[in-house]
């Protein structure tokens, strides 16, 4: 029987420019939006590869503040620094250039600025529009499209990643320029590409899935399946890079409009509390999370298997999805990503603690198959260890 359709879909205004060389239109876009005093959040790798210099040339006097040493996973101790800079230079737009971390920092600073201003206006409860964020992604992580940020807080010597959602956080302008991804190293191509694939997979079985999110997730899987390995093997293949960036865009669209589930939640715990790079955690956990969810989600995931080129006609959904899981596992292996938690510095003795932390993660709680006991999560971590 067909699933009865019932859903809620929240849209938000975003302008997206996609194409090789589109970065050159940044200045013109700023004119159109009347943004005059811009701050840039980025990393040293973007200084080394010349992308920051390109933006400096494009924006001339309008780039007034530069915060180019953003650390991975948006650290709380860096937020105050970014915020002070934004206030000092009275910025009216913030660019996040790079992967999910600098884009996340741009979102956090924009959100925190509004909070500070509201406090100064005698605790006005009225929420103002945020200083807009311009996202220019150079990985496939997908943060550029979402109304969410994560920040890693340090309390009593423990690091813990928390996420904040608000539609106003969604970047206003996103520039996808595949030329900026040509120098993304193979291991980051692989890990952030698997991150994009995972967003599509979890969107398909999300408890808040809806027709547009399902459609873009399946298109994303098709694009990623046909281009990720090519990008890994020949990073300078512009056609493959453009197709992969399109896949990441579609994955980001799916991510932005549904709640994520077990896989996403476990990766956040591993990133925030065990220091595992986000994309690497994605690769290790994805096959295990899919297998855990297999019996409850096979009918939603069978179209994913089909989108990956796996024959599904005349067979039961679970066996097709199991073949997809094996194909993903093989792809991760071919791209030489770590496949075990023990290989990325996670100690076996950490697993019970990480499992307990995961239980309070919102994405884990939103998993379509209920996860109510830390023992369930520990079993997944042990299988991945
Ligand atoms: P990242 O931003 O931490 O970047 C990883 C590394 O890639 C950095 O060392 C960076 O310098 C390097 N890099 C990026 N682009 C490069 C390029 N073109 N050439 C060379 N080096 C380059 O990692 P990420 O995987 O992009 O993002 C992960 C972070 O983003 C995590 O904290 C994750 O939680 C967050 N995230 C948030 C959302 C969201 O919706 N809020 C979505 C996805 C990811």
């Amino acid at each position: 029987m067909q699933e009865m359709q019932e859903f809620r879909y929240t849209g938000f205004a975003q302008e997206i420019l996609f194409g090789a060389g589109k970065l050159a239109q940044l200045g013109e876009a700023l004119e159109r939006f009347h943004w005059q005093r811009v701050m840039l959040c980025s990393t040293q790798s973007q200084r080394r590869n010349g992308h920051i210099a390109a933006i400096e040339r494009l924006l001339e006097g309008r780039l007034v503040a530069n915060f180019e040493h953003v650390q991975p996973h948006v650290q709380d101790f860096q937020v105050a620094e970014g915020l002070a800079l934004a206030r000092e230079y009275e910025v009216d737009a913030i660019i996040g250039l790079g992967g999910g971390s600098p884009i996340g920092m741009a979102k956090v600073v924009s959100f925190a600025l509004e909070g500070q201003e509201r406090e100064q206006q005698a605790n006005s409860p009225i929420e103002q529009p945020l200083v807009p964020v311009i996202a220019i992604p150079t990985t496939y992580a997908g943060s550029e499209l979402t109304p969410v940020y994560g920040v890693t807080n340090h309390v009593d010597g423990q690091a813990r990643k928390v996420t904040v959602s608000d539609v106003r956080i969604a970047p206003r302008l996103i520039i996808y320029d595949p030329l900026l991804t040509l120098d993304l190293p193979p291991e980051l191509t692989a890990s952030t590409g698997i991150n994009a694939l995972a967003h599509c997979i979890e969107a398909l079985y999300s408890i808040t899935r809806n027709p547009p999110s399902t459609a873009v997730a399946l298109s994303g899987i098709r694009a990623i399946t046909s281009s990720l390995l090519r990008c890994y093997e020949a990073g300078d293949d512009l056609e493959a890079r453009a197709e992969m960036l399109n896949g990441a865009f579609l994955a980001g669209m799916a991510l932005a409009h549904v709640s994520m589930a077990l896989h996403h939640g476990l990766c956040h715990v591993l990133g925030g509390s065990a220091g595992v790079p986000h994309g690497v955690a994605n690769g290790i956990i994805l096959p295990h999370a899919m297998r855990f969810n297999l019996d409850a989600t096979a009918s939603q995931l069978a179209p994913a298997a089909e989108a990956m080129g796996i024959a599904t006609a005349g067979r039961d959904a679970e066996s097709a999805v199991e073949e997809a899981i094996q194909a993903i596992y093989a792809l991760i292996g071919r791209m030489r990503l770590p496949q075990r938690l023990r290989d990325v510095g996670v100690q076996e003795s950490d697993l019970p603690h990480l499992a307990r932390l995961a239980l309070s993660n919102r994405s884990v709680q939103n998993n379509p198959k209920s996860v109510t006991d830390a023992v369930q999560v520990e079993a997944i971590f042990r299988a991945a260890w």
Side-chain angles (χ1 to χ4, degrees):
M1 201 178 82
Q2 280 267 310
E3 242 180 280
M4 289 290 279
Q5 289 209 340
E6 190 180 307
F7 60 89
R8 170 175 161 181
Y9 180 87
T10 307
F12 20 84
Q14 292 184 313
E15 177 167 324
I16 292 153
L17 301 175
F18 189 106
K22 282 288 173 191
L23 181 66
Q25 293 179 8
L26 177 62
E28 192 185 303
L30 254 60
E31 295 265 332
R32 212 157 13 90
F33 284 99
H34 306 290
W35 296 327
Q36 300 291 337
R37 302 182 60 76
V38 180
M39 169 168 157
L40 175 67
C41 293
S42 196
T43 57
Q44 284 300 297
S45 65
Q46 306 293 331
R47 170 64 68 191
R48 285 193 297 275
N49 61 21
H51 297 159
I52 293 180
I55 288 181
E56 286 169 340
R57 279 194 301 276
L58 284 166
L59 298 192
E60 294 171 357
R62 278 177 295 180
L63 184 61
V64 295
N66 205 340
F67 184 35
E68 59 184 72
H69 49 275
V70 175
Q71 293 181 16
H73 296 304
V74 188
Q75 304 296 326
D76 54 357
F77 50 83
Q78 284 206 310
V79 175
E81 199 185 333
L83 189 56
L85 208 56
R87 285 188 73 82
E88 182 183 347
Y89 290 95
E90 299 180 343
V91 304
D92 61 11
I94 306 175
I95 299 177
L97 166 73
S101 298
I103 292 172
M105 179 59 84
K107 291 173 170 180
V108 177
V109 171
S110 145
F111 197 69
L113 261 180
E114 192 267 347
Q116 270 195 355
E117 268 156 31
R118 195 138 48 94
E119 255 172 46
Q120 283 170 358
Q121 289 158 17
N123 289 323
S124 155
I126 298 165
E127 291 186 337
Q128 304 294 331
L130 304 190
V131 167
V133 169
I134 303 161
I136 308 176
T138 65
T139 73
Y140 306 125
S143 174
E144 65 278 1
L145 289 168
T146 72
V148 180
Y149 67 72
V151 62
T152 308
N153 291 327
H154 297 80
V155 182
D156 299 332
Q158 297 249 10
R160 193 151 179 196
K161 197 160 177 179
V162 293
T163 54
V164 175
S165 305
D166 185 313
V167 283
R168 297 172 303 155
I169 293 170
R172 182 69 184 85
L173 171 68
I174 299 106
I175 300 182
Y176 286 103
D177 187 338
L179 292 176
L180 303 181
T181 64
L182 292 178
D183 56 4
L184 186 64
E187 61 279 13
L188 283 165
T189 297
S191 62
T192 67
I194 291 294
N195 189 189
L197 179 63
H199 291 150
C200 296
I201 297 283
E202 291 231 300
L204 290 175
Y205 60 52
S206 168
I207 56 169
T208 60
R209 64 187 178 276
N210 53 70
S213 67
T214 297
V216 292
L218 289 173
S219 297
I221 291 172
R222 266 181 227 108
I224 294 166
T225 303
S226 75
S227 59
L228 178 54
L229 191 60
R230 283 157 63 212
C231 292
Y232 173 79
E233 287 174 345
D236 59 355
D237 179 341
L238 182 58
E239 198 194 314
R241 286 294 192 183
E243 186 160 7
M244 183 56 216
L245 197 58
N246 183 38
F249 159 58
L250 294 164
M253 286 293 277
L255 169 71
H257 294 282
V258 295
S259 54
M260 288 282 105
L262 177 71
H263 173 266
H264 192 77
L266 299 189
C267 293
H268 267 243
V269 170
L270 289 169
S273 301
V276 183
H278 190 62
V280 170
N282 267 262
I284 296 173
I285 297 297
L286 184 57
H288 298 280
M290 286 176 77
R291 196 159 282 137
F292 175 85
N293 279 331
L294 181 58
D295 54 349
T297 63
S299 62
Q300 285 94 49
L301 286 185
E306 197 174 4
M308 288 170 64
I310 292 166
T312 54
R315 47 191 300 208
D316 68 282
E318 280 198 29
S319 82
V321 177
E322 179 54 41
E323 194 178 328
I325 294 172
Q326 283 168 20
I328 291 171
Y329 194 74
L331 173 66
I332 292 166
R334 274 187 79 176
M335 296 192 297
R336 298 182 188 283
L337 285 174
Q339 290 186 294
R340 298 183 308 183
L341 289 174
R342 73 180 73 180
D343 298 334
V344 294
V346 178
Q347 304 300 316
E348 193 176 7
S349 55
D350 293 339
L351 301 183
H353 168 65
L354 293 170
R356 279 193 301 278
L357 278 181
L359 268 198
S360 58
N361 180 284
R362 211 173 340 145
S363 297
V364 173
Q365 291 167 354
N366 283 338
N367 194 53
K369 177 171 164 181
S370 89
V371 181
T372 50
D373 193 330
V375 171
Q376 292 170 288
V377 182
E378 195 179 323
I380 299 170
F381 279 153
R382 283 199 184 281
W385 192 78

